[in-house]
Amino acid sequence: AVNANTPTQSMQSLSTIWQEHKVKSGESLSAIFSSNDLNKLDLHNIVHANDISSQFATIRPGNSLMIGHDISGELSHLIYKKNAYAELKATKLEDGSFKVELLEQEVDRKINTATGVIHTSLFVDGKNAGLSDNIIMQLANIFAWDIDFALNLYEGDRFSIIYEKLYIGSKLIGPGNIIAAEFINQGKSIKAARYQNTEGKASYYTSGGNSIRKAFLRTPIDFARISSHFNLKRKHPVLNRIRAHKGVDYAARSGTPIKAAGDGKITYRGRKGGYGRVVIVQH
C-alpha cells in the first residue's frame, strides 16, 4: 500500500488510500479486479467511459496499476502507468460514473546517430556501438524481411542509424524510434525510413517509397544460431545413412519468441513424430 502523500502528478486527494499492483504476464484488467475484490460494475464503467478508456484493456506485464480507495473502501481512482511519461487516469464521479483522461508529460526527442561493423553478431556489435537492447531489436525487426541475421550476416557488414532519445527535462527516460537506417549486407545497401500516417500508424519505407515489409521474414527468430543447415546429402545422426535434411534448425534459449514467416492460417498444432511440438502455417 502507498499512502496518500506519495509524490505523483495524479495523486491529488489526501483522503485516498493507494495500492500498487504490478501487472503479471497473462493478467487482464478483469482478473486484477477479481483478485483485488473490486466491483465489476466499476470496471465496466471505466472501460466504457469515453474514446480513450479502452486503453485500460491494453495493460502490459511489468507496468503498474495504482488503485485508489476512498475512506469507505470504495474504488475512487485507477491509474495505469503506460510508460515513463504517460499515465491513464480514471476518477470516480458522484453519480458512480468515471472520468478517464490521458495525462502526458512533455517529452523532448533528441536525435542521435550510431554506426557499427559486424564482427560477432548484430546484438554484440550493436551493444559495442552504444545501442540499447530496444534499439537493436527495432533494427533487427526493420531489416528482418531482407536479412537472415543467423545465416546471412558476415564479417564487415555495416549498419548506420538515426534514432531518438527521449528526455523529460534533463532526465533521459529511454530510447524512442529509429527514424532512418541503412544496413550494408555483403556489399548490398538496404535503406529504410520511418513514416507515420495521419492515423498514427507508422511503418518503414525504401528510398523509392515502397514498404520494406515483404511477404515473408528471412528468419523466424531473433539472434539465434544455426544448429543444422538444409542439406540434401546429410548423414542422419541416428540412422547413420544419407537422409536429406529439408529444413534449417535454429537454436535459442527456451522461451525465445518464434515468429511466423508471414501471415497465414494455422492448419496444425501438436506433436508430429521426430519434429516434436509443431505449428504448421498455411500462407
Side-chain angles (χ1 to χ4, degrees):
V2 181
N3 66 35
N5 297 317
T6 299
T8 179
Q9 177 182 347
S10 299
M11 298 180 187
Q12 299 168 350
S13 173
L14 293 177
S15 61
T16 304
I17 301 170
W18 293 97
Q19 172 190 351
E20 182 176 11
H21 180 97
K22 283 279 188 182
V23 181
K24 303 178 184 67
S25 179
E27 197 172 40
S28 67
L29 189 60
S30 177
I32 292 171
F33 264 64
S34 294
S35 63
N36 287 277
D37 296 322
L38 299 175
N39 191 319
K40 288 296 180 71
L41 178 60
D42 285 340
L43 171 63
H44 179 273
N45 290 338
I46 288 172
V47 298
H48 293 92
N50 54 32
D51 291 341
I52 64 170
S53 59
S54 60
Q55 293 182 35
F56 270 112
T58 60
I59 57 177
R60 293 186 176 182
N63 288 2
S64 289
L65 268 174
M66 300 301 298
I67 302 169
H69 299 271
D70 60 22
I71 54 176
S72 66
E74 295 292 319
L75 178 69
S76 60
H77 297 81
L78 187 67
I79 298 173
Y80 172 53
K81 303 279 188 178
K82 293 187 67 175
N83 49 49
Y85 55 89
E87 63 184 30
L88 201 60
K89 178 186 178 184
T91 304
K92 196 170 193 177
L93 305 177
E94 289 185 2
D95 63 0
S97 64
F98 281 83
K99 173 186 175 183
V100 176
E101 52 194 332
L102 180 62
L103 306 174
E104 295 182 290
Q105 297 184 62
E106 186 174 347
V107 176
D108 185 17
R109 299 173 183 270
K110 295 184 179 180
I111 304 303
N112 289 260
T113 62
T115 60
V117 180
I118 299 299
H119 298 294
T120 305
S121 69
L122 177 61
F123 187 79
V124 171
D125 296 311
K127 297 294 281 187
N128 289 338
L131 301 180
S132 67
D133 292 359
N134 178 286
I135 293 294
I136 295 171
M137 290 301 299
Q138 287 189 49
L139 185 63
N141 289 331
I142 290 169
F143 293 110
W145 310 96
D146 293 285
I147 301 171
D148 184 328
F149 288 105
L151 274 174
N152 299 126
L153 210 56
Y154 290 84
E155 169 83 27
D157 285 355
R158 306 180 65 88
F159 59 86
S160 303
I161 66 170
I162 301 171
Y163 67 104
E164 302 168 324
K165 281 187 177 180
L166 307 181
Y167 290 83
I168 294 178
S170 59
K171 181 182 178 182
L172 174 66
I173 60 172
N177 298 305
I178 291 179
I179 299 170
E182 178 183 22
F183 210 107
I184 300 175
N185 178 232
Q186 301 182 68
K188 178 186 176 183
S189 172
I190 309 167
K191 297 179 180 178
R194 188 177 188 270
Y195 171 74
Q196 182 172 308
N197 64 20
T198 54
E199 297 175 352
K201 183 178 180 180
S203 190
Y204 289 87
Y205 296 85
T206 66
S207 54
N210 299 314
S211 174
I212 202 164
R213 180 185 172 98
K214 308 289 194 305
F216 297 103
L217 290 169
R218 291 297 303 274
T219 179
I221 195 166
D222 293 316
F223 314 124
R225 66 177 177 86
I226 302 300
S227 59
S228 181
H229 291 264
F230 181 96
N231 184 359
L232 293 176
K233 297 182 179 180
R234 181 194 65 160
K235 181 177 285 188
H236 195 280
V238 177
L239 303 176
N240 200 31
R241 62 173 182 261
I242 299 300
R243 178 71 64 87
H245 182 229
K246 299 179 180 179
V248 176
D249 295 341
Y250 293 85
R253 289 184 178 183
S254 177
T256 300
I258 300 172
K259 306 171 186 176
D263 296 337
K265 174 184 177 182
I266 294 177
T267 59
Y268 181 86
R269 180 177 67 91
R271 289 193 172 273
K272 208 170 185 64
Y275 288 123
R277 290 185 290 180
V278 171
V279 175
I280 297 178
V281 183
Q282 183 184 56
H283 300 291

